[in-house]
Amino acid sequence: MTPVYKLSDSRSLTGTATYYSSMLAGNAVYAPQSYYLLETNVLPGAATSVEFTNLNTYASDYKHLQIRIAAGAGGSGATNRLRITVNSSDANLRGHKVGGVGSGSMFSSTATPYGGSMVISDRVDVSGTSVFIIDIVDFGSTNKAKVFKTFEGCLDSSEPFVAMGSTLWNSTSALTNILFGVGNTAIDSTGFTSGSRFSLYGLKA
Amino acid sequence: MATATYTALATITLSGNSSSVTFSNIPTSYRDLRVIINGKGSIDENVTYTINGSTANFSWLRISGNGSTTVTDKNTNNTIGRFGTGDTLVIVDFMDYSATNKEKLFLIRNNYVGGDVRGLAAKWGSNSAISSISFGIRLSGNYLTGTTFSLYGIAG
C-alpha cells in the first residue's frame, strides 16, 4: 500500500519539504484538562437549601470533587451555621475545626450531628458574603470513608471568622448527594440569600 | 455539560529581584481567580495587596501557628499575610472576582519556612470587578529572582 505523506507545507513531493509518515507528526502535544466545572447554581431568589444530587454519576470520570460557595444567609447573628446532610442523612458525620475571630485565642472544635444535619461552618454572613472551598477527596470510592477538607472565611463586621476544617463521612457507600442549609440547631427557614452561588467541580486522577 | 476550567492566564518568573508584581487586564469571563506565589523575599515581611490600583478598603482576619504560638488577629489595611526569606508559598483564591454587585472575598493559605503557617480571610470592599492585582512586600522588600507568580481563571 502506498503510504500517505503529510507535508510540512504546500509543495510537491519532489521539493525540499520535510516528510512525515504519521499524520500526528508535528502537531502540538495534546494536554488533556483535569479540572472541570460540573454544575453551578446562582440562586435567583432566597432558598432554604441547595443540594447537589446524583454525584455518583461523576465517579466514572472524576477522582475528586471541589465545591466553591459564596453565600449570604437570611436572619442575623451567630445562629447562621452552615449545615450539611450527606445522602439525605446526618448519619456517620464527624468534624473538626481550627479557627479564629480576629481577637482572643484561636479555637478548635469538634462537630457531631444533631437536628438531622451537621454543622460544617459556624458562620454564614448575613450582611455580605461568606466563602467556602470544600474538597472531597476520592469521593467515588466504595471501599473507604470520605473526607471533606474545608477552608472558609467571613468578614461580617460584627462576626468575622476564618477556619479550616475536616469533615468525615464514615461510610463506604457511594456519595450521591450533599445538601447545604443554614440553621443553629437544625436546617431551618433561615436559608441563603438571592445571588448566593454554589459551584461543583470535578478533578480527574 | 462539564466545562474544562482552571485556565492558566499568566505566569511570571522573576529574572531579577522585584519590589512588586502585577497582573493586569484580567478578563472578567471567569468566576474565581487563583494566584499562586512561590519563592523567596529579601526580608521577612507582610505581603501588600493593590487591587485596581487601590490600597484602600481592605480588611482581613488571620489564624496562624508557628509550632509554639497560635495567633488570631484582624486589621483593615492591605498588608495581608507574610513572605519570608525562606521558601514561601502563598495561594490566594479570589471568589466571585468579576461580580459587580458584591464586595470581593478572598481566602489565603500562606506557608513560609522558618516562619509559620497561616490561613486568612480577606475582603476588598468594592463592588467593582477586579481587573488588576499587584503584590508587593512591605517596607521596601523585594521578591527574589526565580520567584514565580501564576494566575488562573476558574469558571463557575
Side-chain angles (χ1 to χ4, degrees), chain A residues 33 35-37 40 42 62 68 70 99-106 131 133 151-153 155 160-162 164 197 201, chain B residues 2-6 31-32 61 63-64 70-74 93 95-96 102 105 107-109 119 121 154-156:
Chain A
Q33 298 275 32
Y35 184 96
Y36 286 80
L37 169 65
T40 196
V42 179
Y62 304 97
R68 288 172 166 255
V101 297
S103 60
S105 301
M106 278 178 59
V131 292
I133 299 177
F151 187 17
E152 60 182 285
L155 270 296
F161 187 81
V162 62
M164 299 178 183
R197 161 245 173 165
Y201 300 85
Chain B
T3 303
T5 186
Y6 208 114
R31 177 76 68 176
D32 300 335
L61 170 61
I63 55 173
S64 66
T70 59
V71 174
T72 178
D73 59 3
K74 59 185 176 182
D93 282 287
M95 307 288 282
D96 280 4
K102 60 178 69 172
L105 274 284
L107 297 174
I108 306 167
R109 276 294 306 268
I154 300 172

Side-chain angles (χ1 to χ4, degrees), chain A residues 69-152:
Chain A
I69 301 172
S76 63
T79 61
N80 292 323
R81 295 191 168 94
L82 182 65
R83 307 182 70 90
I84 65 167
T85 64
V86 178
N87 286 16
S88 304
S89 170
D90 66 351
N92 302 310
L93 288 169
R94 292 291 184 274
H96 295 87
K97 192 187 312 300
V98 294
V101 297
S103 60
S105 301
M106 278 178 59
F107 71 86
S108 67
S109 62
T110 60
T112 55
Y114 58 87
S117 58
M118 193 181 84
V119 172
I120 196 170
S121 166
D122 287 333
R123 194 85 76 248
V124 186
D125 197 351
V126 297
S127 59
T129 303
S130 295
V131 292
F132 310 84
I133 299 177
I134 302 168
D135 291 294
I136 307 172
V137 178
D138 229 348
F139 78 102
S141 174
T142 54
N143 59 15
K144 63 177 74 167
K146 320 301 186 286
V147 178
F148 300 12
K149 177 174 73 77
T150 62
F151 187 17
E152 60 182 285

